[in-house]
Amino acid sequence: MGVSRPDSDPFYAVPAHLQEKPDGTVLRSRHLPADALAEPAPAQVWQLLYKTRDNAGRATATAGTLLIPMAPWAGAGPRPLVSYQPPADGLATFCAPSYTLRAGSLISDTTIGQAAFDRGQVADAVRRGWSVMVPDYEGPRSEFLGAAAAAHGVLDGIRAARAFRPASVDRRAPIGLWGYSGGGFATASAAQKQSRYAPELKISGIVEGGVPADLNAALKATSGQVFSSWMPFGLAALRNAYPQAHVDRYLNASARGYMDAVGHVPRGGVVTAAVSIPVVG
């Protein structure tokens, strides 16, 4: 039996009247069987829907996958908690980590390696004895490249993991952030916003990779090259995350056509689907 996409799975539905709930509140949960993940890990696995905020700061909800190792923790102090942000570089909910961890990826391991990379990193972290939270940091509207949405999704995912009683995450546990590509962007965003948005979380370590630190340099380096297809996709992502920026006004008709094609924009301008494309840093 296949895994239902988030758009057709009631578990992901954003509840009403969230504004008064604390950020990171667990709204619903479900325990997954040991073989539910595309690459099984020796852990108890839950999916959590938790309250967070979108790129404009409005209350919403997103999902996360929480893995607690079966083996007892043998290290010093409490078992660490790692928030792992995969390269979920997409404008559709079927690119969300909670879905791809179960259903796998449509991207070939032999061409990009993203699918094996995502699931392998999570399984390896579990085998090291770490608790792992994998947030759907783009949120229910797939706000790829939305810095605030990504930061909120990561930090509220950590809050949800710590608050979820069946997982018994020690509140003294050291916290780590880890991400690559779009996940590196989310990790960096969370690290920058943590002191203001979630000062109660004490981050012990941060690892991020593949983050385009200089967008102008990245554009020049990729223009006309094999990965130049990410440029209209990135513009579609910015339009989705920052509608007030009116990205369209900077493009000619041909460029807008490319952007609409990769963003699958229907009448009304709402992104409904897109393929997952790696951002090269």
Side-chain angles (χ1 to χ4, degrees):
M1 184 177 180
V3 179
S4 297
R5 289 185 174 185
D7 289 340
S8 58
D9 187 340
F11 178 83
Y12 291 85
V14 177
H17 312 298
L18 288 178
Q19 188 60 44
E20 301 305 317
K21 294 184 181 296
D23 297 330
T25 297
V26 178
L27 304 170
R28 63 177 70 105
S29 66
R30 60 186 178 190
H31 191 270
L32 300 182
D35 61 352
L37 301 184
E39 181 168 332
Q44 291 196 74
V45 183
W46 290 271
Q47 284 186 335
L48 309 180
L49 189 80
Y50 55 92
K51 190 260 178 118
T52 188
R53 295 185 178 274
D54 66 12
N55 207 47
R58 297 173 296 234
T60 186
T62 195
T65 306
L66 178 60
L67 300 93
I68 306 296
M70 296 286 194
W73 171 244
R79 184 193 301 274
L81 172 64
V82 175
S83 180
Y84 176 64
Q85 287 66 248
D89 307 338
L91 288 176
T93 57
F94 60 75
C95 299
S98 64
Y99 176 74
T100 59
L101 282 173
R102 297 181 66 192
S105 172
L106 297 177
I107 296 179
S108 169
D109 292 1
T110 58
T111 56
I112 296 177
Q114 179 173 320
F117 179 84
D118 291 357
R119 302 193 298 268
Q121 298 284 51
V122 171
D124 183 61
V126 168
R127 285 191 287 267
R128 291 173 182 266
W130 304 336
S131 299
V132 182
M133 181 62 170
V134 187
D136 290 359
Y137 55 83
E138 292 180 6
R141 294 186 58 252
S142 299
E143 292 180 293
F144 179 46
L145 297 184
H152 301 154
V154 171
L155 297 170
D156 288 327
I158 296 171
R159 285 169 163 164
R162 283 163 37 112
F164 186 58
R165 290 187 178 181
S168 300
V169 174
D170 195 312
R171 298 189 72 81
R172 300 169 299 151
I175 299 170
L177 304 179
W178 180 12
Y180 182 78
S181 187
F185 173 82
T187 299
S189 299
Q192 291 175 337
K193 199 165 187 177
Q194 176 269 325
S195 62
R196 303 186 306 278
Y197 185 74
E200 80 280 9
L201 301 180
K202 307 305 178 186
I203 308 300
S204 299
I206 301 167
V207 179
E208 58 192 58
V211 182
D214 186 328
L215 291 181
N216 286 330
L219 287 170
K220 290 179 181 178
T222 57
S223 180
Q225 304 301 315
V226 66
F227 285 112
S228 61
S229 60
W230 79 265
M231 295 167 65
F233 177 77
L235 292 168
L238 290 173
R239 178 173 60 182
N240 185 43
Y242 299 95
Q244 71 278 12
H246 303 293
V247 173
D248 297 61
R249 64 181 168 172
Y250 300 107
L251 308 176
N252 59 27
S254 177
R256 285 195 297 272
Y258 277 113
M259 183 173 64
D260 290 347
V262 297
H264 289 204
V265 180
R267 186 175 301 172
V270 178
V271 174
T272 58
V275 295
S276 181
I277 300 176
V279 172
V280 178

